[in-house]
Amino acid sequence: MKKMWKGNHAIAEAAMRAGCKFYAGYPITPQTEIPEYLSARMPELGRTCIQAENEMSAVYMILGAYSCGMRCMTSSSGPGISLKQEGLSYICAYYLPAVIVNVQRWGPGLGTLDSAQTDYLRDTRGGGNGDYRVIVLAPNSIQESIDLMYESFDIAEKYRNPVEIMSEAALGQMMEAVEFPEFKDREGELDWTYDGTNRPHGKLPDSEKSAAALAKYTKIAEEFQRWESYRTEDAEYVFVAFGLPSRTSRNAVDQLRANGEKVGLIRPITLWPFPIKAFEELGPQVKGLISVESTDTGQLIEDVALAAKKCKIDVPVYGLFSGLSISKTKAISEFYREVKSGQRKEVY
Amino acid sequence: MEIVFAGFGGQGVLTSGLIVAEMALEEGKNVTWMPAYGPTMRGGKAYSVVKYMDGVIGGPDMEEIDILVAMNGPSLEYTELLKDGGLLVVNSDAISDDEEIHLNADVVRVPCLTLAKEVSNPKGANIVAIGALLKRSGIFDFETAKEVMTGYFEEKGKGKYTEANEAALKKGWESV
């Protein structure tokens, strides 16, 4: 039978089921329930959970453990993930996998404890120095948090690239009824890890790294886009939203449809690579795209506009930015009506 | 169904939500529970939102409230989101009966703390409020509620309070 689980606890348990053997992290609200849970759970399973002396130290422990092939992860909130960027950049430089969870809170600096999506641009663009990307997965329910976490080590190892689960404060704190998959371990062996022999570790000379990066990220972008399209077949206006705002947007679609409005929703599940293919499926009847996001100035909307350009959808792109809250269903419906009646100006 | 329990931190408004969420789960509904609180353990505004339905639940936060339990004065600000014809349970130990509440809603005033003390369970004011709201709204029957609540506390290793908590639930149920 399904049981009520808090988002953060559920992600932590899912990581265990996925074969995570080592966790290093540092406390920060609203993600502290992850290390809190693991500090009790991992010793039970004979695994290792370390509260590092700081965030940087934690990310370098992950770099070290994964270079030897150990499934491992770290987690934090926005400010802590900023501190981890140097380590993430190195993980990418060495072509190593890693799994990171970012339970976002609002704002620059220390920000607040409110739920938000204000780390979108940093996390989808790499975040540290150099030209790399992190694969970013955005669940919108606790079950999906579990399912994506369960897959994340396989994905990270397949592409030898970090995978981030991008959660939100409210998604980490709320509870829903969920089910867990069985415990698993890696299938097969990684052939590049440091194992005490002199086998090749897949290291590249700098002269080859540029082309290799382009090849790797082009491949991921091509084959790893995920999304959910909802009632878009004949939609004239399409909302684009991920995470919790995608849930209120979906409600708004249902309410507006009940009143005869032709609206739909694209919900990106991979934020990088951005699901451009979802936009290729839109028909010529589309009159506008509306990005619904918990940001202050608009971040997701940049990818929406780029996706529209790539797919030659020449329509205005509007943005509903709710800052440190989640847009309510009513607010989304009202915004749509204002867009439709020409009272709102497009951003792109 | 959207139910909000609001009060000061320490009044048990998060726990109230969890208990009612378990009742909805027991009936096979989709359920969300979301807490909101400040950085302090005691005092400060706190609330929890429980939503349940057969279909897909949208956002977990307050949108249009069916039932609001106001354990303290500041919680009355959420009546803004209370639906017409909704239910407002007021903790009259914290909100004076002289305070006029003009709403197109069913308003019941329950001295939650006084009643909890009467059954020697002063920490059970939140459970008294649950009893009152269940009886008034008719959303779950008493036996189901009692069983689920007892299971909830027993799982948390708090089985020794079962009798006191059941008495508080009954007290609230009989108060309206």
Side-chain angles (χ1 to χ4, degrees), chain A residues 222-261:
Chain A
E222 177 51 38
E223 67 186 27
F224 196 63
Q225 299 180 25
R226 286 194 198 175
W227 71 93
E228 181 189 19
S229 291
Y230 184 63
R231 306 184 86 166
T232 51
E233 305 77 26
D234 61 341
E236 293 178 351
Y237 288 86
V238 176
F239 298 111
V240 185
F242 67 94
L244 289 175
S246 73
R247 296 173 55 146
T248 48
S249 297
R250 185 189 161 107
N251 273 10
V253 167
D254 286 339
Q255 287 183 9
L256 290 165
R257 282 268 175 185
N259 289 312
E261 302 292 332

Side-chain angles (χ1 to χ4, degrees), chain A residues 2-4 170 173-177 244 247-248 250-251 328-329, chain B residues 18 21-22 25 31-33 35 37 57-60 62-63 155:
Chain A
K2 287 188 176 184
K3 291 200 89 171
M4 296 290 283
Q173 298 298 319
M174 66 186 267
M175 292 176 105
E176 285 182 303
L244 289 175
R247 296 173 55 146
T248 48
R250 185 189 161 107
N251 273 10
K328 294 189 195 303
T329 307
Chain B
L18 286 171
E22 291 289 345
L25 189 62
V31 189
T32 61
W33 170 88
Y37 48 85
I57 301 174
M62 296 184 208
E63 296 208 48
E155 196 166 301

Side-chain angles (χ1 to χ4, degrees), chain A residues 119-249:
Chain A
D119 298 340
Y120 180 90
L121 283 175
R122 182 195 65 192
D123 292 7
T124 56
R125 265 51 176 183
N129 59 293
D131 194 350
Y132 66 90
R133 297 290 187 278
V134 172
I135 296 169
V136 181
L137 308 175
N140 81 343
S141 70
I142 300 185
Q143 187 64 56
E144 196 177 34
S145 301
I146 292 170
D147 297 344
L148 292 176
M149 173 49 94
Y150 194 65
E151 261 191 280
S152 59
F153 295 95
D154 300 325
I155 299 163
E157 288 165 12
K158 177 179 176 186
Y159 293 114
R160 294 186 63 174
N161 201 75
V163 170
E164 175 181 304
I165 306 281
M166 187 182 251
S167 183
E168 298 156 46
L171 194 56
Q173 298 298 319
M174 66 186 267
M175 292 176 105
E176 285 182 303
V178 296
E179 283 174 315
F180 286 95
E182 294 300 314
F183 279 84
K184 69 174 180 184
D185 265 316
R186 176 189 303 133
E187 282 174 26
E189 286 294 316
L190 302 176
D191 58 7
W192 49 263
T193 56
Y194 290 84
D195 63 347
T197 67
N198 277 328
R199 69 177 177 183
H201 306 300
K203 275 181 140 180
L204 294 174
D206 286 345
S207 60
E208 289 176 23
K209 276 186 174 170
S210 180
L214 181 62
K216 169 164 128 174
Y217 292 121
T218 305
K219 178 175 157 68
I220 299 173
E222 177 51 38
E223 67 186 27
F224 196 63
Q225 299 180 25
R226 286 194 198 175
W227 71 93
E228 181 189 19
S229 291
Y230 184 63
R231 306 184 86 166
T232 51
E233 305 77 26
D234 61 341
E236 293 178 351
Y237 288 86
V238 176
F239 298 111
V240 185
F242 67 94
L244 289 175
S246 73
R247 296 173 55 146
T248 48
S249 297

Side-chain angles (χ1 to χ4, degrees), chain A residues 13-46:
Chain A
E13 178 61 26
M16 296 300 98
R17 307 263 171 156
C20 176
K21 298 289 192 292
F22 173 57
Y23 171 92
Y26 191 80
I28 178 173
T29 304
Q31 67 85 46
T32 301
E33 292 90 351
I34 295 174
E36 180 201 30
Y37 180 87
L38 292 178
S39 66
R41 182 67 167 142
M42 294 189 82
E44 250 175 42
L45 296 168

Side-chain angles (χ1 to χ4, degrees), chain A residues 7 29-30 49 80 92 99-100 116 163 266 280 286 298 328:
Chain A
T29 304
C49 173
C92 288
V99 173
I100 308 130
V163 170
I266 290 174
E280 283 170 6
V286 173
K328 294 189 195 303

